[in-house]
Amino acid sequence: MIADSFGRVHDYLRISLTDNCNFRCFYCMPEEDYDFTPASRLMKPAEVLALAELFVAQGVKKIRLTGGEPLVRKDAAEIIKGLGKLPVELVMTTNGTRLAEMLSVLIESGIKTINISLDTLQPEKFFMITRRDVFHQVRSNIELLLQHKIAVKINMVVMKGLNDGEINDFIKWTKHSPIQIRFIEFMPFSGNKWTSNKMFSLQEILHVVEEDFTVLPVKSAPHDTAKHFMIPGHEGSFAIISTMTAPFCSTCNRMRLTADGKLKNCLFSDGETDLLTPLRNKEDVLPLIFASIWSKKKELGGQLITHFENLDADAIKNRSMITIGG
């Protein structure tokens, strides 16, 4: 059992397979020219599996694969198949572009839920955000997952003046489709030009939805990051991840392993613990894991402790989102 000093048991591990991505979304990737981590510094498939097995032996029940875009990695199939043999719930977050070609691997590995990052339902705006003209490909792949009974959650980062006007368009999508829309408050990371006036809050999102729909709260599962809601008569549902205005730190059970083998005990932690180097040196990494999680701060890495409107994003010490893992 991996626990911190506040009694929170950590049984959910997020593993980034790469910081590479075939999109160029500004809120995730630094604006300046970005050098992806060379392959020699990334965890190899056997190293990913070795660390995953170690975490599972200490009680981890769920593993989420992230990136960058996890499916751009050439050996992604090998890693996914290996992790699929572990006694855990295996899930993934992806931009959805390569799902069709990887579908058989995902099914074989027992992945039953996939989160897809999609911030707009307008093809032109999609191109503006991602710098890639693949909107219809992503939409087609979402339908493909649903046809194969794989649950789909849509991650939509809401940004004021960019896509907040589409909130109810996403809600309408749930009328006849069994998807869950997850509206996410815009969060500050290194290089993503976060400002408080771009942030669209939990209450603002709910206000917009309630203008057109009857909204009923749904009880969240233990350790859930999202606040869940349903609309009578809709096949799907929606949720809001309110990290900035109503965080869920008191029940957090998450750990993050970056693609270069660093353990972050919080998305906003200002430090990290290198597991890959000692693993390659055949050293015992378990004490490092326990020490890292034990040192976890009570809330938001100890950094986002002021009201978001007073937050100085430039003062936050962290990686860019793409190097942490979405």
Side-chain angles (χ1 to χ4, degrees):
M1 188 172 69
I2 305 171
D4 67 12
S5 61
F6 301 97
R8 295 172 294 198
V9 175
H10 290 63
D11 57 7
Y12 180 5
L13 176 65
R14 302 172 69 102
I15 303 176
S16 175
L17 296 188
T18 178
D19 64 344
N20 204 337
C21 187
N22 50 352
F23 284 4
R24 293 295 180 269
C25 303
F26 68 88
Y27 65 82
C28 179
M29 183 177 290
E31 192 174 79
E32 64 271 11
D33 290 338
Y34 179 74
D35 293 324
F36 296 111
T37 305
S40 62
R41 286 173 45 203
L42 295 178
M43 294 183 290
K44 295 178 174 60
E47 293 166 339
V48 174
L49 189 58
L51 287 173
E53 288 175 339
L54 191 60
F55 278 96
V56 171
Q58 301 305 315
V60 163
K61 300 173 183 175
K62 181 176 181 178
I63 292 177
R64 177 176 299 278
L65 299 179
T66 69
E69 169 47 45
L71 298 182
V72 302
R73 188 164 160 160
K74 293 180 180 179
D75 52 10
E78 178 185 352
I79 296 171
I80 294 168
K81 289 179 181 178
L83 294 174
K85 296 175 182 176
L86 298 179
V88 294
E89 177 189 359
L90 184 62
V91 295
M92 176 184 295
T93 297
T94 171
N95 62 29
T97 54
R98 299 197 169 183
L99 289 170
E101 59 200 83
M102 293 291 290
L103 184 62
S104 62
V105 172
L106 303 177
I107 293 173
E108 177 186 339
S109 303
I111 294 180
K112 296 179 174 60
T113 302
I114 292 180
N115 289 36
I116 297 177
S117 301
L118 182 65
D119 297 314
T120 178
L121 297 176
Q122 301 174 17
E124 299 81 8
K125 191 181 293 182
F126 180 94
F127 180 79
M128 185 269 290
I129 293 173
T130 68
R131 309 295 194 269
R132 300 293 184 266
D133 187 17
V134 291
F135 173 80
H136 296 291
Q137 178 181 331
V138 172
R139 284 299 303 266
S140 175
N141 284 342
I142 290 171
E143 296 305 317
L144 181 65
L145 292 181
L146 294 175
Q147 290 168 15
H148 286 82
K149 307 302 180 185
I150 296 176
V152 173
K153 298 179 181 180
I154 303 295
N155 291 346
M156 189 261 210
V157 179
V158 187
M159 288 163 280
K160 193 171 293 185
L162 178 68
N163 59 359
D164 55 303
E166 294 188 65
I167 289 172
N168 282 345
D169 292 331
F170 277 87
I171 294 294
K172 291 173 185 175
W173 191 6
T174 69
K175 174 70 174 176
H176 301 293
S177 184
I179 57 173
Q180 181 187 96
I181 305 297
R182 295 161 66 86
F183 298 114
I184 302 173
E185 292 180 343
F186 184 33
M187 295 176 278
F189 295 97
S190 177
N192 76 344
K193 309 296 183 184
W194 184 94
T195 59
S196 62
N197 61 2
K198 294 178 184 175
M199 229 280 298
F200 209 74
S201 70
L202 161 72
Q203 292 302 324
E204 289 174 307
I205 294 169
L206 279 177
H207 177 72
V208 169
V209 179
E210 288 171 342
E211 286 181 340
D212 293 341
F213 302 95
T214 299
V215 176
L216 301 177
V218 176
K219 185 177 180 180
S220 297
H223 310 297
D224 209 333
T225 60
K227 295 166 178 64
H228 294 264
F229 305 90
M230 65 165 289
I231 296 171
H234 281 229
E235 191 173 350
S237 62
F238 77 98
I240 302 174
I241 299 177
S242 54
T243 305
M244 302 302 297
T245 62
F248 37 84
C249 301
S250 63
T251 61
C252 183
N253 66 337
R254 289 156 175 76
M255 303 170 282
R256 293 171 179 269
L257 187 59
T258 65
D260 56 350
K262 307 298 194 300
L263 179 63
K264 284 180 68 71
N265 59 24
C266 174
L267 180 60
F268 296 104
S269 63
D270 59 1
E272 54 194 35
T273 300
D274 182 8
L275 300 185
L276 183 56
T277 300
L279 179 72
R280 289 179 173 177
N281 292 336
K282 303 188 185 313
E283 299 170 9
D284 185 6
V285 301
L286 198 55
L288 299 175
I289 295 172
F290 285 134
S292 172
I293 304 307
W294 186 259
S295 68
K296 184 171 183 169
K297 300 292 198 302
K298 185 177 181 179
E299 292 182 345
L300 299 171
Q303 297 204 83
L304 279 65
I305 55 177
T306 186
H307 189 274
F308 77 90
E309 291 181 342
N310 302 318
L311 189 65
D312 180 6
D314 293 332
I316 297 173
K317 298 177 181 179
N318 204 356
R319 296 186 180 214
S320 61
M321 186 59 174
I322 197 169
T323 64
I324 297 173

